[in-house]
Amino acid sequence: MTDDRESEQPAVLTIAGFDPSGGAGIIADVKTIQRFGCRPLAAVTSLTFQNSRGVFGAIHQSAESLRSQVLPIVKEVRIAAVKIGMLPTSEIVLAVARLVREMNLPAPVVDPILRSSSGDELMAEGAVEIMLSELMPLACVITPNIHEAEMLTRLKVTNEDEMQQAARKLREMGARAVLIKGGHLEERSGVRGQRSDDLVSEIRRQAIDVLDDQGQITVFRGEWIDSPPVRGTGCVLSSAIAACLAQRMPLGKSVRAAKQFVAVAIRYAPKSGPDPIT
């Protein structure tokens, strides 16, 4: 392990795809990790060809290439937290799970990136099943959005109760903790049976996330911020959670701090279109 000044900063390893436009993936991860006062380290799973409008192709790394990136890092630097993003192939998923186990890495924050913001598929179908069986049980927390939660659980998620049900099912499938990102959740029913238009309108204006941490439910409610489409929010949130965990914050407080960071970033994001928020 190194003993230089950089080692005074908690080191956070991100294993994710590379987005040349900087809107998501490793570039967004690194900037976020730095904002939280941690040292970013990175290994690339896939070199994508994309911009704000879509993904036009990718060259995926092999398991050997990914392993060759990670091993020199973990042999020299003490890793305080791990964030895992785009895992395009079964081979890559197995390689990451093997690295976590063999190198005794901290339980990772896993952001199951199944599709890009533009709707392009980023993970092979076979890789999803392997992620659920081999990697998810190793995770500190898994952070699907609504659509990803539906795809992983095969449940319909349209309101807060169904978010909790999906989180519970993912835990039953092997996850230790699950954060389902609701974003602008259009909950059509009222709270506790109340259905006034004002109350429903208030619910719809909230950004709701649900954390199920080994059966303990925490609902995070935040102001819904009107803004043009933004990219990379999931990458930034999961990286921020990992950076907070690296500083020994509990999971719930890490999620809260990460959500606040993302909310501020969205509020002050460029107003001209789907630009990165970091």
Side-chain angles (χ1 to χ4, degrees):
M1 301 294 176
T2 58
D3 191 30
D4 55 22
R5 292 183 180 179
E6 284 189 318
S7 66
E8 296 174 3
Q9 292 182 301
V12 179
L13 172 63
T14 171
I15 301 175
F18 181 76
D19 171 3
S21 73
I26 277 182
I27 293 178
D29 293 344
V30 165
K31 291 192 288 186
T32 300
I33 292 165
Q34 288 178 320
R35 294 279 186 90
F36 278 84
C38 295
R39 177 185 177 185
L41 307 167
V44 176
T45 60
S46 179
L47 176 60
T48 69
F49 318 138
Q50 63 176 298
N51 58 24
S52 63
R53 298 179 180 178
V55 179
F56 305 99
I59 298 176
H60 304 321
Q61 299 297 297
S62 65
E64 180 181 359
S65 171
L66 179 63
R67 190 174 178 84
S68 296
Q69 294 176 68
V70 173
L71 287 181
I73 296 172
V74 300
K75 288 178 180 178
E76 184 179 48
V77 181
R78 187 182 303 278
I79 306 299
V82 178
K83 175 266 170 86
I84 296 172
M86 180 183 174
L87 301 175
T89 66
S90 301
E91 179 187 16
I92 286 292
V93 178
L94 288 170
V96 170
R98 180 184 173 192
L99 282 164
V100 172
R101 288 192 300 264
E102 289 184 0
M103 304 308 297
N104 197 28
L105 294 175
V109 177
V110 176
D111 184 14
I113 300 175
L114 308 184
R115 290 178 179 170
S116 68
S117 299
S118 56
D120 298 280
E121 299 288 342
L122 295 179
M123 192 175 196
E125 184 175 349
V128 175
E129 297 302 319
I130 295 174
M131 179 195 68
L132 291 172
S133 62
E134 299 295 326
L135 184 59
M136 188 170 70
L138 303 176
C140 168
V141 62
I142 182 171
T143 64
N145 61 30
I146 291 290
H147 299 301
E148 290 161 346
E150 289 181 329
M151 293 176 69
L152 295 175
T153 64
R154 295 184 171 86
L155 297 176
K156 187 68 176 174
V157 181
T158 61
N159 57 50
E160 185 181 315
D161 287 341
E162 290 173 351
M163 291 173 72
Q164 293 190 29
Q165 292 170 17
R168 183 167 59 249
K169 182 167 183 179
L170 283 168
R171 281 206 315 105
E172 291 170 352
M173 294 165 65
R176 184 183 315 176
V178 180
L179 175 68
I180 296 189
K181 302 170 293 191
H184 191 188
L185 186 64
E186 293 280 359
E187 184 168 62
R188 298 187 182 279
S189 62
V191 176
R192 298 179 183 175
Q194 302 178 64
R195 302 183 60 85
S196 73
D197 290 341
D198 289 343
L199 183 56
V200 173
S201 177
E202 180 181 348
I203 293 170
R204 290 179 177 176
R205 302 302 295 173
Q206 293 179 341
I208 300 174
D209 293 350
V210 171
L211 174 65
D212 184 334
D213 184 2
Q214 302 183 75
Q216 181 176 343
I217 304 296
T218 305
V219 179
F220 298 91
R221 302 181 190 278
E223 175 191 1
W224 172 255
I225 301 169
D226 285 317
S227 72
V230 291
R231 302 172 59 216
T233 54
C235 299
V236 171
L237 181 70
S238 53
S239 296
I241 292 171
C244 290
L245 292 172
Q247 299 177 70
R248 301 184 179 181
M249 292 175 61
L251 179 58
K253 290 185 177 180
S254 296
V255 171
R256 189 176 301 279
K259 276 183 58 64
Q260 291 172 347
F261 178 80
V262 171
V264 171
I266 292 174
R267 184 181 299 278
Y268 295 103
K271 305 302 182 183
S272 57
D275 294 311
I277 63 171
T278 52

